[in-house]
Amino acid sequence: MNIFRSLALVSLGLMVSACASVDVPSRNLPFEATPDAAVQVPEGYESLPQIDPLPALRVSSVTVEVPRTLTVSETNSYLPKGDIVWREDPFGDRYVQVQAIVQRAMEAGSASLEGPIEAALHVEVQRFHALTQKARYTTGGIHAITFKMRLTDPATGTLLRPEKVVEADLKAFGGARALEAMTRGQTQKVRITGHLASVIRQELTKPGSYQNPRLGLLQAFQ
């Protein structure tokens, strides 16, 4: 009887020991990042170069590329198919015209930054879809603009931050509102240039802070 009692006590002791081993105080464990404690990676980035705030930049050069592989549409419809739709300049080389607009915007947006890290900014336009004449003078719409940005060390070509694709849509005026804006000098070119300058400024100073307002823009036309 004593043998059975001893075995029972030993078994009970092992069970208590096993349960106790599960409830180890967390202060004795290595730190594990919880979802709330983990570094939040800005949308569009695969990773951050460091946990601390990214160093401020000084942009020394700006290069804008508009690939000739993009398709150009001259169709005067509400929603023409094409990567490039631009009508405010006279008929001509749309690649050159779009490059000039984006170049000016990127230079304006990156000017006067005085950070300690020198950077070269390269922008590749992936879509530049402004309004046709028909949409401009009737319904309005959305300027759908997408570009890929890359920041590199001017001396070595090393990436300073991961490449990022930025969707920078802007509500486009139509009808009487478009005409009224034009009388104030707010042409499509002026509005798009100012908008892109603001977008790149945000991305250079606070990466990931710019949020494309596409959902709000689409809701505005529903």
Side-chain angles (χ1 to χ4, degrees):
M1 187 70 177
N2 290 335
I3 294 175
F4 288 115
R5 179 176 297 177
S6 298
L7 291 173
L9 290 174
V10 170
S11 299
L12 180 61
L14 290 173
M15 291 174 63
V16 172
S17 176
C19 293
S21 66
V22 175
D23 190 22
V24 177
S26 61
R27 64 177 178 273
N28 293 332
L29 292 173
F31 173 76
E32 291 184 6
T34 63
D36 291 336
V39 177
Q40 296 298 309
V41 179
E43 183 179 355
Y45 284 84
E46 294 181 358
S47 62
L48 287 174
Q50 57 185 41
I51 294 178
D52 296 330
L54 296 173
L57 300 174
R58 181 178 71 261
V59 177
S60 59
S61 65
V62 178
T63 304
V64 174
E65 176 186 4
V66 183
R68 292 280 169 169
T69 53
L70 298 179
T71 58
V72 176
S73 174
E74 297 290 345
T75 303
N76 189 20
S77 60
Y78 288 109
L79 294 173
K81 294 181 179 179
D83 302 310
I84 295 176
V85 176
W86 178 245
R87 307 297 167 76
E88 201 165 76
D89 284 323
F91 181 78
D93 192 326
R94 301 303 188 189
Y95 299 94
V96 173
Q97 294 169 357
V98 168
Q99 192 279 336
I101 295 169
V102 179
Q103 180 80 31
R104 183 176 181 179
M106 297 300 153
E107 289 178 351
S110 61
S112 72
L113 295 179
E114 299 179 351
I117 306 300
E118 185 177 359
L121 172 63
H122 181 273
V123 169
E124 179 185 316
V125 175
Q126 296 184 336
R127 192 181 192 205
F128 192 96
H129 208 292
L131 295 189
T132 63
Q133 301 91 323
K134 180 176 287 188
R136 176 73 166 163
Y137 294 110
T138 54
T139 61
I142 296 173
H143 297 307
I145 302 171
T146 303
F147 62 88
K148 180 169 64 177
M149 60 178 291
R150 182 169 71 248
L151 291 162
T152 60
D153 184 306
T156 66
T158 304
L159 276 175
L160 299 176
R161 299 177 185 172
E163 290 185 339
K164 183 179 182 182
V165 174
V166 180
E167 295 182 339
D169 295 345
L170 172 67
K171 183 177 180 180
F173 298 151
R177 189 174 184 185
L179 294 174
E180 190 272 334
M182 290 173 65
T183 62
R184 293 185 285 104
Q186 292 295 306
T187 63
Q188 291 186 89
K189 184 182 293 186
V190 168
R191 294 190 68 236
I192 290 173
T193 301
H195 174 66
L196 291 179
S198 176
V199 170
I200 197 63
R201 187 80 174 190
Q202 291 180 64
E203 285 296 334
L204 291 173
T205 55
K206 295 181 180 180
S209 62
Y210 172 74
Q211 298 296 321
N212 180 39
R214 176 179 296 170
L215 180 59
L217 292 175
L218 292 177
Q219 290 175 342
F221 293 100
Q222 292 179 354

